[in-house]
Amino acid sequence: MKVVLLGAPGSGKGTQAGFISEKLNIPHISTGDIFRENMKKKTPLGLKVKSLMDSGNLCPDDLTVELIKERLNHDDCKNGYLLDGFPRNLHQAKALDGFCPPDKVLNLDVDFERIERRITGRRSCYECGGTYHVDFITDPNKCPLCGGELFTRKDDTSETVKTRLKVYQTQTEPLIGYYSEQNKLVTVDGNAEISDVERNVLEALGI
Ligand code: AP5
């Protein structure tokens, strides 16, 4: 199955992606993770997108579309894909429709009032890449899974969250209508507890 995960920043896309990808045996492909990995390694791509990402703005469309087009050619995509963070606007959605359109689009709907708390409390692990929330872990500096050091993403500040939400509203939200017209959209309430969201996601995707 080819699935796109849609939702505002901090709606829980990354949190839900792991089990969906496992259940459907499809790779979890996050454009944000790919860009962050490149920034960490200081590659030319990483250096090019750093200031855009740190300020909460989108990276250039042509570059992002090419990145995904290339990634979807890999062998592990033969059963499909789980795209997290792509497409992010109509231009990217139309491009994807041109080379590998999704079967289903899962929209995680979360009230904006919850988002700032979720994002500013997020911690990520340097070692295993896991993400957590300070409300649910005992030590905010240590990964509960591998013991690695936890860090806060540069774009996870209150100020940047405002920009990211604005970008989401103006550029990404129109995709809800776009995929709804194609009868591909399923929406799940992402305000609930993680395990409840997980159950509703399974039902919505019919898996
Ligand atoms: P990206 O990495 O895609 O970030 P995002 O869309 O802003 O999403 P987040 O990773 O912030 O949130 P999420 O929905 O995955 O939530 P999570 O599960 O972590 O993009 C970053 C940047 O990269 C962009 O700003 C842009 O610059 C660039 N970029 C990426 N893709 C691009 C594209 N296609 N085109 C152009 N530029 C692009 O959860 C958040 C927190 O909430 C966690 O702490 C988690 O533990 C907690 N949580 C999750 N679910 C629940 C729940 N149900 N209840 C309570 N807490 C929960």
Side-chain angles (χ1 to χ4, degrees):
M1 194 188 287
K2 291 173 282 181
V3 183
V4 162
L5 266 177
L6 206 61
S11 57
K13 300 183 295 297
T15 301
Q16 296 297 327
F19 95 94
I20 303 172
S21 144
E22 215 169 278
K23 192 100 189 157
L24 290 172
N25 190 25
I26 49 176
H28 169 210
I29 301 170
S30 155
T31 35
D33 285 349
I34 297 173
F35 286 137
R36 278 186 289 279
E37 190 58 27
N38 276 276
M39 278 165 51
K40 196 167 146 191
K41 290 181 178 155
K42 297 195 166 66
T43 65
L45 172 66
L47 295 172
K48 193 167 181 177
V49 299
K50 187 177 181 336
S51 63
L52 288 165
M53 286 193 66
D54 287 351
S55 62
N57 288 293
L58 295 185
C59 304
D61 278 344
D62 51 350
L63 192 153
T64 312
V65 168
E66 277 313 307
L67 197 84
I68 286 296
K69 203 171 180 179
E70 192 278 324
R71 178 63 184 87
L72 295 186
N73 272 327
H74 291 201
D75 279 353
D76 63 348
C77 295
K78 63 181 184 308
N79 288 334
Y81 57 65
L82 178 63
L83 288 178
D84 164 3
F86 183 95
R88 207 73 162 213
N89 57 29
L90 280 170
H91 179 85
Q92 294 182 8
K94 286 177 182 169
L96 181 65
D97 276 349
F99 56 83
C100 203
D103 303 310
K104 282 207 172 163
V105 177
L106 179 73
N107 176 37
L108 286 176
D109 186 29
V110 175
D111 300 337
F112 274 19
E113 302 84 71
R114 286 178 191 267
I115 283 178
E116 181 172 350
R117 174 73 197 138
R118 280 198 187 178
I119 289 186
T120 53
R122 172 169 46 199
R123 298 292 179 273
S124 311
C125 178
Y126 273 120
E127 301 300 325
C128 70
T131 56
Y132 311 93
H133 194 281
V134 288
D135 288 350
F136 304 123
I137 51 176
T138 42
D139 185 341
N141 301 308
K142 194 171 164 189
C143 177
L145 203 66
C146 75
E149 190 189 340
L150 296 181
F151 70 97
T152 303
R153 268 167 52 176
K154 266 242 170 83
D155 58 346
D156 279 353
T157 62
S158 303
E159 206 42 52
T160 313
V161 170
K162 288 189 187 74
T163 308
R164 289 164 65 190
L165 287 177
K166 201 166 270 174
V167 169
Y168 168 76
Q169 279 183 304
T170 54
Q171 304 214 38
T172 313
E173 216 168 39
L175 296 185
I176 293 175
Y178 179 78
Y179 286 121
S180 179
E181 277 171 22
Q182 294 188 8
N183 288 320
K184 290 180 176 174
L185 190 85
V186 284
T187 295
V188 163
D189 180 7
N191 294 294
E193 282 187 20
I194 293 175
S195 56
D196 290 334
V197 179
E198 198 172 302
R199 208 175 37 250
N200 294 333
V201 164
L202 285 176
E203 200 181 306
L205 290 178
I207 52 178

